[in-house]
Amino acid sequence: MTRSRTDRLRTADSRTPGSRTPGSRTPGSRTAGRDALRNAARAHLEGGGGVLLTGPEGIGRSTTVNQLADEFAARGHRVLRCAPASSDRDSPFLGLIDLLAAAGDAPLAGLAAQERALLEGALLRRTPPAGADPTTGRDALVLRIAVRKVLAALAGTCPLLLVVDDAQWLDEPTARVLLFLARRSVPGYAVLAALRTPLAPSDEGPQPDRATALELCPQPVRTLPLEPLTVREIADVLDAHGEGPWPPQLTARLHEAGAGNPRTALELSAALHAAVSSGVPLPDSSEPLPVPESLSRPLLERVGALPARAQQVLLTASAAVRPTVELLRRAGCRYADADVDTCVRHGLLRVRDHGTLNFPDPLTPLVLAARAPYALRMDAHRALAGAADDPVERAHHLARLTAGPDPAVADRLAEAAAAARRRGAPGTAARFGRLAAQYTPADGTPTGIGRRLTAAEDGLDAGDFGFARQLAYEVLREAVRPADRVRAWNVVVDSSGQAMSEVADVFPEAVRDAGRDPGLLAPLHYRMSWHAWMVGGSARRARDHAARAAGLAARAGDRRTEVLALTQQAALELFLGLPEAESTLTAALAAPHDAYAMSHHNGPIYLKHRFHLVHDQLEEARAELRTLVYTLRQRGSADCLSQCLIGLAQLEIQRGRCRQGLSMARQSLRIAERAGLSQGPAWYAVALAETAGGSLSQGLAAAEAARRHSEDDDDRLFLPRALHAEGRIRLFSGQYGQAAQLLRRTAEMESAQGQGDPATRRWHADLVEALARSGAVDEAESVGDRARAQAARLGRTGTLAALDRAAATVAEESGRLGAAAAGYEDAAGRLRAAGYPLEEARAHVALGRVRRRLGDEGASRAAFAQALRIFTAAGARAWVAGVRAERDRGEEAPFPHLDGNAWPERLSSTERSVVTRVAQGATNRGIAAGLTLSVKTVEAALTRAYRKLGAKSRVEITRIVMARPAT
């Protein structure tokens, strides 16, 4: 019998990860964040010179070095490698032996007798000449000249790359040879070196000299540090090595404990697997991760090297929630300043602002908590409990010192949770709230259940959905009061995030528990409104639920739920194009206010910025959002902050501030990853931002990720947005048929949901343009007319301006070039007046193309120049490159390019697409399917292309295409 969705949800966080795949522990290559670094290294090395990769042990230096070396070898470079170990430092010329091992004896044939004898002796290929010492004096010089000649001979046949991994272990004689070579240029010669840098000054082994390592590389040399991996990249590494998947929150903890180091995360994950395999349940957010011996032993050895007094200070600091020098002093560490300095010198502590302490290696407190003697740990907690003047700090230590239920300690813990909540630390509040519930005596009062539910709600605000869901189901197993049960069901629903399809069968149970109580039914109908929209895809049914929730909440005196429900109702009315939307929002904004609702991303302040947007009031919208984001950064939930950053990113893009938009979108994604939130919305924002201010290829990858996440979550609210983002990129890249397919799906989904205001989701103009460019001119005109009627009825000026540009595209594809040029000029002016610079610049680009087709090269270049000025000021990098290339090339082409060749201006976009596929061997029927055209349209386009290109057959078409230079 299959389990219900609710059953699956109940057990989701207790699952055991999949079977592990045996294999290497070397960090894998599925780390998208390293792509940019490899690209930078590759581009630099192609011009000669050197690249030095730096980073701590386990960060992935060797993986990156090997990937680059393999890429260069595959492209025809000769790659000579060495990777010395710590034991090789005292073996003269061992690095040189490894480097030249693959070169063989042939390159030595051109050396003078003495040069060859010394080199072969150093390489241990023959007995060195009597009395010769290739490490000093004249013999050393002769040897270095010989090596240079050998490398020059090798580089004369193909480009040469020397790879030195772990340069800190390179033997000194080899290092001196490479220093000599770096100062004397060898044509076609480059060096890729990697240097291990310590996490802290006391790391074992020699302290590497970065300056010396740099000198191994010929000029110009570039240093590229390998940064810690993101949560997503750590998850990819774990999956690639069979160490996952873990629940998102647990993956985030592995990332944090390992400081983004892939090797450390792999070892922690292996220890976690071993614990789970032995029957130990997965640790929750308040329990420590198991640390394997391979990681704990080096740390304990470093701690053991400290004086006894400094060890005590370190242990006390590791037991504190927020250690400071002053707290340690009050806790009995009389010489705290001196002992902290000792720990700092050994790299075990770091002093931050106002005397706050933290650990350079986040494993240190975990290891000390697990390995220090119990009595010493309790002494530290006892001293800190007496010394702490902060309720959170004091409660933490009292809990450690108390065994079993204790009402006084439970009250202290509840006070600490409230203090953490006020400070904007919901994760800390959740942890203390659960502890408060555990220390609450089971005397039949509802206090313990209430504290668990409060902790679960704090867990939601912290983004710890698994923690919240676990507590909610604990309550549902015990609670009999309808209020407690409905509150727990609400937590279950909210913990589903964007994947609300998983909780469809929760609502009937929750409604039964609520009975006829309006105070219990109101929050349920509010959540059913979201379910009807996100999963059911019906904005009208969702509005009915929201209106009912608002009415029930008003009867019950629940202002928070009333405000949230009114906000949801107003949002749906705006989407549906209903005139009462404004008055509903006004009711939500009216006093009395609820602080939680007013600062929530589903609250009226956030929605107010969207009303500004449909009226093209971008500055007012930005002011609302910036204030809200500032508040949420101080004390808000991860989900709210992530969603508001998404909105701010979109707004900055619309205002033509691409760099800022990209920064906001990436911040949103990092928050979603760290908190284990649904990532579809954040990837959607990244797709928009990359398309505007990054690169189209990265934007496409982000859009595809947004679509996958939304499909996995069955999220019909964000799925059409993801499809729109992907369709725009395909449109800008000249992939008109694919763009039209994606944008048609967007239109179908949004129309089925009941969209009546085209300014709420602005896909209409893009769909018109994609349809027109792909040859479906009549359909494009029909879509544009319907959208124009809606926008005109509601007075949506900016949307009408974008539709004007799309109408000009229809005219262009219909052969009415004069009308198209006039339309683009008018649309550009109206978009400028409405305050949409990027949309205006798109109109100038299209105008430049049409003016060129009309033979007015001066006006064409002027239009391109205007587009360039706007895109440059906005920081739209990919657009700048595309416009500049198109202007200078003097030919029409898809903009900017993901693929395809440039084509003469006399071919229309549809004709170019058809001709390209003919050259690839596609049949007319296959072309029609790929471009979503009729076979008749393909035949007509091909006939016109034959005439314009002077070709008489498909063979001649193919020959013309193959002869064109690639762009």
Side-chain angles (χ1 to χ4, degrees):
M1 184 177 70
T2 60
R3 296 183 297 164
S4 70
R5 286 176 173 172
T6 306
D7 291 333
R8 292 200 302 273
L9 199 60
R10 285 173 176 162
T11 59
D13 291 304
S14 61
R15 68 186 182 275
T16 301
S19 60
R20 294 166 53 194
T21 304
S24 166
R25 283 235 183 286
T26 306
S29 61
R30 296 175 60 189
T31 52
R34 297 286 164 85
D35 289 346
L37 181 139
R38 288 197 299 271
N39 290 341
R42 188 186 309 111
H44 186 86
L45 290 169
E46 283 174 346
V51 166
L52 178 65
L53 302 179
T54 63
E57 184 177 7
I59 199 67
R61 293 184 326 279
S62 296
T63 298
T64 305
V65 164
N66 290 335
Q67 288 170 342
L68 284 167
D70 291 344
E71 288 177 18
F72 275 95
R75 294 164 61 185
H77 287 62
R78 184 187 293 273
V79 179
L80 306 179
R81 314 187 196 196
C82 72
S86 56
S87 58
D88 298 341
R89 297 197 74 205
D90 298 325
S91 301
F93 297 113
L94 187 55
L96 189 62
I97 291 170
D98 289 340
L99 283 171
L100 295 181
D105 293 329
L108 280 62
L111 298 178
Q114 184 184 13
E115 292 171 344
R116 180 162 185 170
L118 281 170
L119 180 55
E120 289 183 334
L123 298 178
L124 303 183
R125 297 183 185 179
R126 61 180 287 183
T127 303
D133 184 0
T135 63
T136 61
R138 186 176 182 279
D139 289 343
L141 177 60
V142 172
L143 174 69
R144 294 167 193 169
I145 292 172
V147 174
R148 185 180 184 279
K149 288 181 179 180
V150 169
L151 295 182
L154 293 171
T157 58
C158 61
L160 179 64
L161 176 68
L162 262 62
V163 176
V164 182
D165 194 9
D166 279 324
Q168 73 275 2
W169 304 125
L170 196 63
D171 62 274
E172 185 176 349
T174 299
R176 291 187 179 280
V177 171
L178 294 181
L179 288 170
F180 175 86
L181 295 170
R183 296 182 184 126
R184 289 155 184 83
S185 62
V186 177
Y189 163 79
V191 172
L192 171 62
L195 177 72
R196 193 192 83 177
T197 52
L199 277 172
S202 65
D203 272 4
E204 289 186 347
Q207 301 308 305
D209 186 341
R210 187 187 302 256
T212 300
L214 282 169
E215 291 173 359
L216 298 177
C217 303
Q219 294 293 328
V221 60
R222 183 173 181 184
T223 301
L224 296 173
L226 274 80
E227 302 294 340
L229 300 186
T230 64
V231 177
R232 181 182 76 256
E233 290 167 344
I234 287 293
D236 287 344
V237 169
L238 296 178
D239 286 346
H241 289 76
E243 293 289 355
W246 298 111
Q249 199 73 17
L250 190 52
T251 301
R253 291 189 64 196
L254 291 169
H255 170 268
E256 182 181 4
N261 187 300
R263 184 182 300 171
T264 303
L266 283 166
E267 295 193 38
L268 288 170
S269 180
L272 201 54
H273 265 291
V276 171
S277 299
S278 65
V280 177
L282 290 178
D284 62 32
S285 57
S286 66
E287 297 171 328
L289 295 170
V291 181
E293 184 74 14
S294 60
L295 295 176
S296 62
R297 189 189 321 109
L299 268 171
L300 290 173
E301 288 174 356
R302 291 170 58 194
V303 173
L306 294 172
R309 211 174 61 197
Q311 289 186 37
Q312 180 59 37
V313 161
L314 192 67
L315 177 61
T316 306
S318 72
V321 175
R322 186 175 179 269
T324 65
V325 175
E326 176 60 27
L327 178 62
L328 295 176
R329 196 182 296 118
R330 291 202 306 267
C333 301
R334 294 177 56 194
Y335 304 100
D337 295 87
D339 294 333
V340 165
D341 284 344
T342 300
C343 294
V344 169
R345 286 197 306 274
H346 283 75
L348 292 164
L349 273 180
R350 184 184 293 131
V351 182
R352 312 292 286 186
D353 296 337
H354 309 297
T356 303
L357 306 174
N358 71 357
F359 297 88
D361 188 342
L363 290 178
T364 304
L366 293 178
V367 171
L368 290 176
R371 304 300 177 91
Y374 176 80
L376 292 179
R377 296 202 311 274
M378 291 303 102
D379 287 344
H381 286 300
R382 196 170 292 109
L384 289 165
D389 55 8
D390 176 71
V392 173
E393 186 79 49
R394 186 184 303 113
H396 170 76
H397 302 297
L398 287 175
R400 294 295 185 275
L401 293 166
T402 305
D406 186 314
V409 172
D411 290 343
R412 286 284 186 89
L413 288 164
E415 292 169 7
R421 196 177 304 116
R422 288 192 298 272
R423 294 173 185 172
T428 302
R431 182 165 62 88
F432 281 114
R434 189 178 68 166
L435 286 172
Q438 290 173 348
Y439 282 93
T440 300
D443 54 5
T445 64
T447 305
I449 284 178
R451 284 172 172 169
R452 263 188 287 180
L453 287 170
T454 301
E457 289 160 353
D458 286 329
L460 289 176
D461 284 342
D464 195 344
F465 290 169
F467 171 90
R469 192 158 51 242
Q470 177 186 349
L471 288 182
Y473 279 120
E474 287 178 9
V475 168
L476 287 168
R477 284 194 292 270
E478 301 174 15
V480 294
R481 291 199 320 154
D484 293 332
R485 293 188 62 79
V486 171
R487 192 176 167 193
W489 285 124
N490 287 336
V491 170
V492 172
V493 173
D494 292 347
S495 69
S496 68
Q498 301 295 123
M500 289 196 76
S501 62
E502 294 289 340
V503 292
D505 49 359
V506 163
F507 290 110
E509 297 183 56
V511 169
R512 273 196 302 273
D513 284 333
R516 294 172 177 258
D517 188 332
L520 300 181
L521 287 170
L524 287 174
H525 277 285
Y526 170 67
R527 287 163 174 82
M528 283 190 274
S529 171
W530 280 104
H531 186 270
W533 197 5
M534 294 176 64
V535 180
S538 172
R540 293 195 177 276
R541 285 200 302 273
R543 179 191 175 276
D544 292 342
H545 278 295
R548 186 173 181 188
L552 289 166
R555 282 172 50 196
D558 180 359
R559 182 58 179 165
R560 174 175 297 180
T561 301
E562 183 186 7
V563 170
L564 291 172
L566 285 170
T567 303
Q568 172 78 335
Q569 181 183 340
L572 290 159
E573 289 168 349
L574 178 67
F575 179 80
L576 291 164
L578 302 178
E580 57 265 39
E582 299 272 1
S583 59
T584 304
L585 177 62
T586 300
L589 289 165
H593 296 147
D594 179 84
Y596 177 89
M598 301 305 279
S599 62
H600 199 276
H601 72 277
N602 291 326
I605 298 296
Y606 181 83
L607 181 60
K608 189 178 177 182
H609 102 273
R610 290 176 51 198
F611 275 75
H612 284 312
L613 284 180
V614 299
H615 294 299
D616 305 317
Q617 298 166 342
L618 272 62
E619 292 304 320
E620 292 86 342
R622 181 171 181 265
E624 297 282 3
L625 265 189
R626 287 192 67 191
T627 301
L628 189 53
V629 166
Y630 177 80
T631 301
L632 291 171
R633 287 194 193 278
Q634 305 305 310
R635 52 186 67 199
S637 74
D639 194 14
C640 285
L641 180 56
S642 177
Q643 292 290 343
C644 286
L645 286 170
I646 290 170
L648 193 53
Q650 292 176 259
L651 184 53
E652 295 290 16
I653 293 164
Q654 288 175 311
R655 294 175 67 242
R657 293 162 58 89
C658 297
R659 285 185 292 273
Q660 291 86 343
L662 191 54
S663 172
M664 296 292 177
R666 288 172 175 169
Q667 287 180 50
S668 172
L669 180 59
R670 285 196 296 270
I671 291 168
E673 289 173 342
R674 222 168 22 239
L677 304 172
S678 298
Q679 293 178 23
W683 276 116
Y684 162 72
V686 171
L688 296 183
E690 287 285 356
T691 304
S695 74
L696 285 188
S697 58
Q698 293 185 23
L700 181 61
E704 290 171 340
R707 174 168 51 81
R708 286 194 302 272
H709 280 283
S710 297
E711 287 172 341
D712 289 346
D713 291 340
D714 196 15
D715 179 358
R716 301 187 190 183
L717 187 57
F718 265 94
L719 178 56
R721 303 188 206 184
L723 293 169
H724 180 202
E726 186 177 350
R728 277 168 57 89
I729 297 168
R730 301 287 185 188
L731 171 63
F732 299 156
S733 306
Q735 301 171 359
Y736 301 127
Q738 293 179 56
Q741 283 183 317
L742 290 162
L743 293 168
R744 276 195 189 101
R745 282 189 63 195
T746 299
E748 289 165 3
M749 294 187 72
E750 297 275 30
S751 299
Q753 289 179 17
Q755 185 187 19
D757 187 344
T760 56
R761 311 279 174 77
R762 305 190 184 203
W763 46 263
H764 306 75
D766 291 326
L767 174 57
V768 171
E769 185 172 340
L771 290 169
R773 298 288 189 200
S774 62
V777 175
D778 292 342
E779 183 184 354
E781 198 162 14
S782 175
V783 170
D785 289 344
R786 286 196 301 271
R788 180 177 297 281
Q790 291 177 324
R793 176 177 63 85
L794 297 168
R796 304 306 191 216
T797 305
T799 303
L800 286 168
L803 288 168
D804 286 344
R805 187 193 60 220
T809 304
V810 173
E812 178 189 352
E813 291 298 323
S814 301
R816 296 179 283 117
L817 298 186
Y824 285 134
E825 284 185 349
D826 181 61
R830 297 186 65 187
L831 288 164
R832 178 169 59 255
Y836 297 100
L838 297 187
E839 298 301 307
E840 177 197 348
R842 284 177 60 186
H844 287 300
V845 171
L847 177 61
R849 291 174 179 155
V850 170
R851 288 296 186 195
R852 177 171 289 154
R853 293 179 66 184
L854 289 168
D856 191 345
E857 186 61 32
S860 172
R861 294 186 70 83
F864 284 134
Q866 181 63 12
L868 267 177
R869 279 193 291 272
I870 297 172
F871 284 138
T872 301
R877 292 182 302 159
W879 291 85
V880 168
V883 172
R884 186 175 289 125
E886 188 166 356
R887 177 201 64 188
D888 296 342
R889 184 169 55 246
E891 296 172 349
E892 184 183 8
F895 169 81
H897 311 287
L898 278 180
D899 59 7
N901 293 330
W903 284 99
E905 60 193 47
R906 58 184 179 272
L907 286 188
S908 71
S909 56
T910 302
E911 291 160 1
R912 289 196 303 271
S913 299
V914 169
V915 163
T916 299
R917 284 160 175 77
V918 166
Q920 293 169 351
T923 64
N924 288 359
R925 189 172 298 280
I927 296 169
L931 296 177
T932 63
L933 303 173
S934 68
V935 175
K936 185 176 180 179
T937 300
V938 171
E939 291 171 348
L942 188 55
T943 299
R944 292 193 300 271
Y946 279 149
R947 184 175 64 253
K948 292 178 181 180
L949 295 176
K952 296 180 180 179
S953 68
R954 298 173 82 94
V955 173
E956 288 188 26
I957 286 283
T958 303
R959 189 176 297 122
I960 292 170
V961 171
M962 298 303 293
R964 295 199 60 79
T967 59

